[in-house]
Amino acid sequence: MLPRGRPRALGAAALLLLLLVIGFFLFRGDLDYERPRPRGTAAFDGDPPADPGGHNGSDCIPPRPRPPKCELLQVAIVCAGHNSSRDVITLVKSMLFYRKNPLHLHLVTDAVARNILETLFHMWMVPAVQISFYNADELKPQVSWIPNKHYSGLYGLMKLVLPSALPPDLARVIVLDTDVTFASNIAELWALFAHFSGVILLRLDRLRQAGWEQMWKLTATRELLTLPATSLADQDIFNAIIKEHPWLVQPLPCVWNVQLSDHTLAERCYSEASDLKVIHWNSPKKLRVKNKHVESFRNLYLTFLEYDGNLLRRELFGCPRPPPPGAEQLQRALAQLDEEDACFEFRRQQLTVHRVHITFLPHKPPPPQPHDVTLVAQLSMDRMQMLEALCRHWPGPMSLALYLTDAEAQQFLRFVETSVVLSARQDVAYHVVYREGPLYPINQLRNVALAQALTPYVFLSDIDFLPAYSLYDYLRASIQQLELGSGRKAALVVPAFETLHYRFSFPSSKAELLALLDAGSLHTFRYHEWPRGHAPTDYARWREAQAPYHVQWAADYEPYVVVPRDCPRYDPRFAGFGWNKVAHVMELDAQPRQRLSACPTPQEYELLVLPEAFVIHLPHAPSLDISRFRSSPTYRDCLQALKDEFHQDLSRRYGAAALKYLTALQQPRGPT
């Protein structure tokens, strides 16, 4: 315990909605300014005196009118990094579930969190929610001089500077920590502002008038003369200020901040779990705290952790607000769809805007290298078992899009945390695309993963292929030797093979692969089902090749290739099974020709097969979309309609250059 007279705190990390500045401050702990506590009083920031039974549940609080239905509620959150960004999403889900008012979220973030949350909220398209971002890096100099041992680092001190960081015309704001879960309508909390009066109504505007910035800096400087470093971040400074200026505080009923930390006395705050308004998991241990109602709290938290965020896109009726960007155009397009159309599912899938959570886990990009390559792929939950093997085969950076439900995303998180192989890799970027719709949006997933690749080149693969152990190094050496960075335009083809054996000894070299091929343990990929897909690779020539060789595009060619990161994106119209890679290779081949300085005539886009490169497809159960394609004439008819639309678009974009594709695709074909 600290000496008497020094700020003391029992909680850890927090949200105390002590409406210091209209809910500006969230203190985390026991505000002890030498005030005697009645027996039974909970050790919570700003707890009012307890009743004789030792609690102050909601039945002890006089009912307060909620704010007008359409009043805009202002909320501020400080968030930095990958893990904190995930916490924010759970917090926001719980707010959105109960809310009946429009919200404006003011997010103070570092660059990582802003990139994640800006993408997510843009794709989430939640009605009546505004988002504003503030650069935490610009605020760091204002607090970096304060020694701090708290695990939140400098970001734990950011609440001190919110009055100056937030817009000057913003008078009231509720400040939340990322690790809280709402169990009631946030409007009830906002309504507490109406019960302040005089100097007790300490809102942002009043705090600015009181000279808050000078006040906290002077107090912090004085306290640090005897306190080597803050152990509870901004809490220590808030406690010291309140000790000198107790008039700054309007206590909140503790049901608005029931803290579940190691030393909490939460049971003194309430009689029934149903009384609670906000549960605060203010401990790094989070769900492992001890409390008689912890199962109830844990279930509430897990409910919102795994809650389908698509269900929160509902409108706020009776509150006219500008729709999210792109929402009106999307609704018009959806309204034009014919539900009787046999291809209705395809048409609707094309218009689906999926929520996207980029870099779902902590990610450290590799240092820039001129010839580096990122493996790009996509997967769903049923292919998760491929990840560990892929990490063993590919030591370089990866960008992977995962198509998951909210609940599956949490299963994936636990899977990575318990895997020695996966948890050791931070150069693998995982991007969760939340499931919606009946078809697997394969090309949308590929585009998400491709857009997040950070190296100059990408290897466009699929999750059920394992690369040769040496492929990463070999590709980088090939890119350098072929001088692709000097303006030469090429797609490097990596020959694909497959095995039908679940138990398989992976070849360590091309010579071993050829031996397995001759023994019948390996085959060229899809030779028995779809030979057109890889026949132009010319496997007979590859067996003897010692140097890269050119091949020509042919109808239905769909090789796995290495290309520059800024290559054309995949056509998102192709969802489910069929023709998704074929269309992309056509787009690559149709790109405008480049005139090289040494050549007097335009050059064709090069398709170069690498002589020592290979990937091997491992067996797995067929996906639902493949089964539907094989069994449904309607599915195949819809796919043909999409192909026709793609051909027309290609002709419009590339004119006469696209004629060879149309001619080739009109030729008679064998069975697919």
Side-chain angles (χ1 to χ4, degrees):
M1 177 177 293
L2 297 176
R4 186 174 181 80
R6 180 173 293 182
R8 179 170 63 87
L10 275 182
L15 145 108
L16 192 200
L17 297 168
L18 282 182
L19 299 184
L20 257 192
V21 173
I22 113 168
F24 166 102
F25 299 149
L26 300 176
F27 297 2
R28 19 177 185 272
D30 175 11
L31 302 180
D32 184 353
Y33 33 92
E34 302 186 23
R35 175 183 63 183
R37 286 190 178 276
R39 180 179 299 275
T41 299
F44 291 107
D45 306 335
D47 291 352
D51 66 10
H55 61 80
N56 76 340
S58 57
D59 55 337
C60 305
I61 306 169
R64 297 177 172 87
R66 293 182 181 177
K69 180 179 180 181
C70 295
E71 182 176 348
L72 181 64
L73 311 187
Q74 310 280 350
V75 178
I77 303 171
V78 177
C79 173
H82 301 86
N83 296 335
S84 185
S85 300
R86 291 200 308 274
D87 292 338
V88 163
I89 295 166
T90 304
L91 161 61
V92 170
K93 283 184 185 178
S94 68
M95 274 198 298
L96 294 177
F97 183 83
Y98 295 106
R99 66 98 181 225
K100 295 184 179 179
N101 285 70
L103 299 174
H104 188 164
L105 304 183
H106 301 266
L107 304 179
V108 180
T109 63
D110 64 352
V112 169
R114 174 163 185 167
N115 192 29
I116 293 170
L117 295 174
E118 195 167 37
T119 301
L120 179 68
F121 280 110
H122 175 70
M123 308 301 285
W124 201 345
M125 302 180 75
V126 181
V129 173
Q130 299 172 239
I131 310 291
S132 296
F133 287 94
Y134 305 84
N135 189 344
D137 290 335
E138 295 179 356
L139 303 177
K140 282 183 179 180
Q142 300 183 48
V143 295
S144 59
W145 57 276
I146 302 174
N148 178 30
K149 296 180 180 179
H150 192 262
Y151 61 83
S152 60
L154 287 180
Y155 299 100
L157 299 165
M158 289 291 177
K159 298 184 189 72
L160 293 167
V161 301
L162 284 180
S164 59
L166 297 177
D169 59 346
L170 182 62
R172 296 184 291 175
V173 67
I174 295 172
V175 182
L176 302 174
D177 271 8
T178 60
D179 54 354
V180 302
T181 305
F182 273 80
S184 62
N185 190 342
I186 193 174
E188 297 178 42
L189 181 58
W190 186 264
L192 295 175
F193 285 126
H195 296 269
F196 290 4
S197 61
V199 296
I200 303 302
L201 180 55
L202 297 175
R203 303 174 300 191
L204 288 174
D205 50 354
R206 305 289 175 87
L207 196 63
R208 295 182 185 115
Q209 294 170 10
W212 167 251
E213 185 173 359
Q214 183 181 17
M215 183 187 300
W216 77 258
K217 288 183 178 180
L218 288 174
T219 302
T221 301
R222 184 168 56 252
E223 287 297 313
L224 289 173
L225 294 175
T226 56
L227 191 67
T230 59
S231 60
L232 296 174
D234 53 2
Q235 178 64 73
D236 289 323
I237 297 172
F238 285 148
N239 286 353
I241 294 172
I242 293 168
K243 179 181 176 181
E244 296 184 23
H245 309 285
W247 51 270
L248 281 174
V249 179
Q250 169 64 45
L252 273 179
C254 68
V255 293
W256 283 104
N257 186 36
V258 174
Q259 303 190 30
L260 298 177
S261 61
D262 293 334
H263 307 293
T264 185
L265 301 175
E267 290 90 341
R268 298 185 184 182
C269 174
Y270 61 94
S271 57
E272 301 294 336
S274 58
D275 293 336
L276 303 183
K277 305 294 186 181
V278 173
I279 293 93
H280 182 192
W281 303 92
N282 58 326
S283 166
K285 298 178 182 178
K286 296 194 182 295
L287 301 184
R288 296 196 299 273
V289 297
K290 295 180 180 180
N291 181 285
K292 66 180 180 181
H293 291 124
V294 73
E295 287 301 322
S296 176
F297 302 153
R298 184 183 291 113
N299 289 339
L300 179 68
Y301 172 77
L302 293 177
T303 294
F304 290 115
L305 188 71
E306 301 183 356
Y307 191 80
D308 185 352
N310 297 322
L311 302 178
L312 298 169
R313 289 169 162 171
R314 57 179 179 261
E315 295 283 348
L316 285 182
F317 294 105
C319 286
R321 307 288 302 180
E328 287 183 316
Q329 181 181 0
L330 177 61
Q331 289 300 321
R332 286 195 298 268
L334 288 169
Q336 294 174 1
L337 296 181
D338 180 6
E339 293 189 17
E340 301 301 322
D341 182 359
C343 300
F344 174 74
E345 286 186 352
F346 280 90
R347 308 295 183 191
R348 184 176 59 181
Q349 189 75 55
Q350 295 169 23
L351 297 174
T352 299
V353 179
H354 294 274
R355 289 177 295 134
V356 178
H357 187 149
I358 59 175
T359 52
F360 187 73
L361 297 178
H363 173 243
K364 292 182 180 178
Q369 299 180 42
H371 308 109
D372 208 359
V373 184
T374 295
L375 187 149
V376 171
Q378 41 68 42
L379 67 150
S380 54
M381 198 68 184
D382 60 344
R383 299 289 188 267
M384 203 70 66
Q385 73 280 0
M386 293 294 301
L387 289 176
E388 289 188 342
L390 184 59
C391 281
R392 292 189 181 100
H393 279 250
W394 182 270
M398 288 187 272
S399 180
L400 306 177
L402 300 93
Y403 193 50
L404 307 173
T405 65
D406 294 72
E408 287 173 341
Q410 300 310 312
Q411 296 175 38
F412 163 70
L413 176 61
R414 293 190 290 273
F415 177 74
V416 173
E417 289 175 342
T418 57
S419 167
V420 175
V421 175
L422 300 182
S423 60
R425 293 286 298 272
Q426 289 201 321
D427 58 350
V428 180
Y430 300 101
H431 317 291
V432 173
V433 179
Y434 289 102
R435 183 182 292 275
E436 186 176 5
L439 297 172
Y440 186 76
I442 187 166
N443 277 0
Q444 291 188 40
L445 297 173
R446 286 175 171 144
N447 285 341
V448 168
L450 179 55
Q452 298 305 318
L454 301 177
T455 57
Y457 298 91
V458 289
F459 173 35
L460 305 178
S461 185
D462 277 334
I463 197 63
D464 40 15
F465 281 86
L466 289 182
Y469 287 109
S470 59
L471 185 60
Y472 174 59
D473 291 333
Y474 176 65
L475 291 179
R476 291 186 297 167
S478 297
I479 291 169
Q480 184 175 11
Q481 291 169 5
L482 294 168
E483 298 181 341
L484 298 190
S486 61
R488 186 178 185 182
K489 195 171 186 179
L492 306 182
V493 175
V494 177
F497 299 84
E498 67 178 339
T499 179
L500 303 180
H501 302 290
Y502 284 89
R503 292 184 177 274
F504 175 69
S505 179
F506 201 92
S508 60
S509 64
K510 179 177 178 179
E512 288 188 15
L513 181 141
L514 292 177
L516 292 171
L517 197 64
D518 293 337
S521 298
L522 276 181
H523 308 279
T524 56
F525 185 58
R526 292 292 185 259
Y527 80 100
H528 57 299
E529 291 183 349
W530 185 239
R532 299 168 63 95
H534 293 266
T537 298
D538 195 350
Y539 287 95
R541 183 177 178 183
W542 182 81
R543 294 179 67 104
E544 308 297 332
Q546 300 295 318
Y549 59 91
H550 289 84
V551 294
Q552 297 298 317
W553 175 88
D556 299 323
Y557 192 30
E558 52 176 1
Y560 293 96
V561 295
V562 176
V563 290
R565 180 182 59 190
D566 60 356
C567 69
R569 295 310 187 244
Y570 288 85
D571 193 310
R573 286 176 292 194
F574 294 99
F577 174 75
W579 231 67
N580 39 74
K581 291 195 302 295
V582 174
H584 187 246
V585 173
M586 288 177 64
E587 183 86 14
L588 286 174
D589 192 62
Q591 288 295 287
R593 314 310 190 209
Q594 286 189 337
R595 185 186 298 273
L596 300 179
S597 58
C599 302
T601 58
Q603 298 295 303
E604 293 287 326
Y605 192 103
E606 296 179 278
L607 288 170
L608 289 173
V609 180
L610 297 177
E612 300 294 329
F614 62 87
V615 291
I616 299 177
H617 179 268
L618 300 186
H620 57 75
S623 68
L624 177 61
D625 288 322
I626 293 177
S627 301
R628 292 174 64 187
F629 172 81
R630 290 172 175 167
S631 63
S632 171
T634 300
Y635 190 116
R636 295 194 292 272
D637 291 343
C638 292
L639 181 58
Q640 183 59 51
L642 292 177
K643 291 160 66 173
D644 292 341
E645 292 176 10
F646 176 77
H647 298 159
Q648 294 170 10
D649 290 345
L650 207 65
S651 297
R652 283 195 294 269
R653 289 199 299 270
Y654 300 110
L659 291 178
K660 73 170 186 176
Y661 307 110
L662 301 179
T663 301
L665 294 167
Q666 290 169 358
Q667 299 300 316
R669 308 185 193 182
T672 61

